[in-house]
Amino acid sequence: MTLTELNRMWARPLALIGLGLAVCVSGTVVLADEDSSLRYTATVRAIQAAEPAVVNIEGNKPSNPSAIDSQQVNGMGAGVIIDPRGYILTNQHVVQDVGRIEVTLHDGSKYIGRLIARDPETDLALVQITAAKTQFPVIRFGTSSDLVRGERVIAIGNPFGYHHTVTEGIVSALHRDIPVNGSQNYPDLIQTDASINPGNSGGPLLNADGDMIGINAAVRIGAQGIGFAIPVDKATEIAADMIAQHRRGSFESPISVTTTYSSGRPRVEVLRASGSQLQRGDVIRAVGKRTIKTRLDYELALLDQSAGADVTLELERSGTVVTSSLALESRSSTKAQLASTTSIQEQVYRGLGLKLELADAAKVTQQNTSYKGGMRVTSVRSNSPAYTAQIQSGDILVGLLEWQTPNWEDLAWIMNKNEIKSGSPKFHIMRGSDVFWGTMDINSTSVR
């Protein structure tokens, strides 16, 4: 071998060092250690940690849902897996009016998703995919409570159908209130200059550590570098509401909880603990073997439980860690008694201002598979809580507080909750094929 050939042999591998390769003494080219390579920046590691839990969502939807013969168009967006059982959080507008929700994971595997619940008011929805003996990867949650302008953020999504596109930018502003289409308003959004385009909706906005701090939701039409995301703390609360709505029906938890934040650290505190060993102010650290950081964790932990079960909880009380149990109460024993001793029709009319009749459960479920049935509104009393909340005759009451209202027995049980007798109970009504959420302002003396 000539000297020139030797020089060429050594020159080639040496020129590749800048591409992340290294050369050992013998001249053999080997891959550089990821831990030492300059290519594996914090951004790269953040993306690699998060993207297995990011999904692409596609499906056909009518271009004009109200038209009799509407042309079908391709809809697309993204979502994040929030539980190993396949629960996915996304934007409501991504899956609205989609007949077949096609979900593609990062590894290319494909599933058909089922719409579990949705909240048009916040434009969030819950979808589930299932597979035998499969535990899906889960997004790592951060918090939006301590965001600062200028910190680095990363968006992952499905813009224009380009799966798992990643972009980087900064937090441009916080607490933006954005009107979208004249009827939809997004309050308290994160503004970012990370490129967000149609199809990014429902995907995560990550911080520099790869923790999700927002759900990408909207762009400013005609502008560049102006995108918006729903803060993750708000998104997890709405997701917790939807999980609670999905799981409740056969049992009742005797406590209510809330997520609080201190220095960017979430914890779950007990608000109400009637009929249990727990106390107001207890901090729930674990349910069974599941670590609890937010109310969403708590609701997911109860998802597969059943009436009569005793759940073990690890608590922090006045700085001391204690173990307690939580009995999940059966509702069946009280339903018949409540229905027979109380004229529920009169109670609903007196307290809410509604006259109701039982709706066809099959038709309700056909319109929206999340609901088991409902109560049709036949009249609304003027100046009543329902009237002020703009509920109309023909609407179907499908939920009140955090529970569904498929029949008189369930409605009787709900109407005897303390939360109905005072405060501003949340309601769900179906109007045509749409479901609307709102609150009713109730005088403490209205319901007896």
Side-chain angles (χ1 to χ4, degrees), residues 335 338-339 344 347 407-416:
K335 285 182 180 179
L338 288 170
I344 184 60
Q347 189 180 4
N407 51 52
W408 288 113
E409 290 80 8
D410 282 322
L411 185 57
W413 182 86
I414 295 169
M415 287 298 295
N416 280 274

Side-chain angles (χ1 to χ4, degrees), residues 150-269:
E151 72 170 284
R152 304 300 299 181
V153 289
I154 304 158
I156 306 180
N158 185 23
F160 303 106
Y162 295 110
H163 290 190
H164 279 81
T165 295
V166 297
T167 55
E168 187 179 22
I170 63 170
V171 173
S172 303
L174 299 168
H175 311 300
R176 293 293 199 202
D177 295 335
I178 307 298
V180 178
N181 53 19
S183 59
Q184 179 76 39
N185 183 68
Y186 288 99
D188 194 29
L189 296 185
I190 303 166
Q191 181 181 330
T192 178
D193 67 348
S195 295
I196 295 177
N197 294 285
N200 272 103
S201 293
L205 188 68
L206 310 172
N207 63 18
D209 294 326
D211 303 328
M212 184 171 73
I213 50 93
I215 298 288
N216 300 320
V219 295
R220 182 64 183 263
I221 302 299
Q224 293 183 345
I226 299 181
F228 301 96
I230 301 169
V232 71
D233 295 348
K234 180 177 182 179
T236 54
E237 278 298 304
I238 298 302
D241 287 342
M242 291 191 287
I243 288 291
Q245 172 194 331
H246 174 56
R247 71 161 174 81
R248 283 186 175 129
S250 61
F251 70 88
E252 159 70 353
S253 170
I255 68 171
S256 62
V257 302
T258 187
T259 308
T260 61
Y261 294 87
S262 176
S263 301
R265 293 180 179 273
R267 66 180 192 173
V268 175
E269 293 186 7

Side-chain angles (χ1 to χ4, degrees), residues 395-413:
D395 290 344
I396 298 177
L397 181 70
V398 291
L400 194 58
L401 294 177
E402 298 172 338
W403 298 279
Q404 295 194 28
T405 55
N407 51 52
W408 288 113
E409 290 80 8
D410 282 322
L411 185 57
W413 182 86

Side-chain angles (χ1 to χ4, degrees), residues 89-96 115-127 184-187 230 234-243 245 295 368 370-371 426-429 434-439:
L89 186 62
T90 184
N91 283 140
Q92 193 259 172
H93 74 261
V94 170
V95 293
Q96 183 178 13
L115 180 62
I116 297 297
R118 56 180 181 150
D119 182 5
E121 185 177 337
T122 58
D123 192 28
L124 290 169
L126 197 65
V127 172
Q184 179 76 39
N185 183 68
Y186 288 99
I230 301 169
K234 180 177 182 179
T236 54
E237 278 298 304
I238 298 302
D241 287 342
M242 291 191 287
I243 288 291
Q245 172 194 331
R295 190 169 75 88
N368 190 313
S370 298
Y371 297 101
K426 194 171 186 177
F427 66 87
H428 316 244
I429 58 108
D434 293 320
V435 176
F436 297 94
W437 294 20
T439 58

Side-chain angles (χ1 to χ4, degrees), residues 325-340:
S325 63
L326 184 69
L328 304 179
E329 303 167 350
S330 173
R331 295 174 56 188
S332 58
S333 60
T334 61
K335 285 182 180 179
Q337 180 182 359
L338 288 170
S340 61

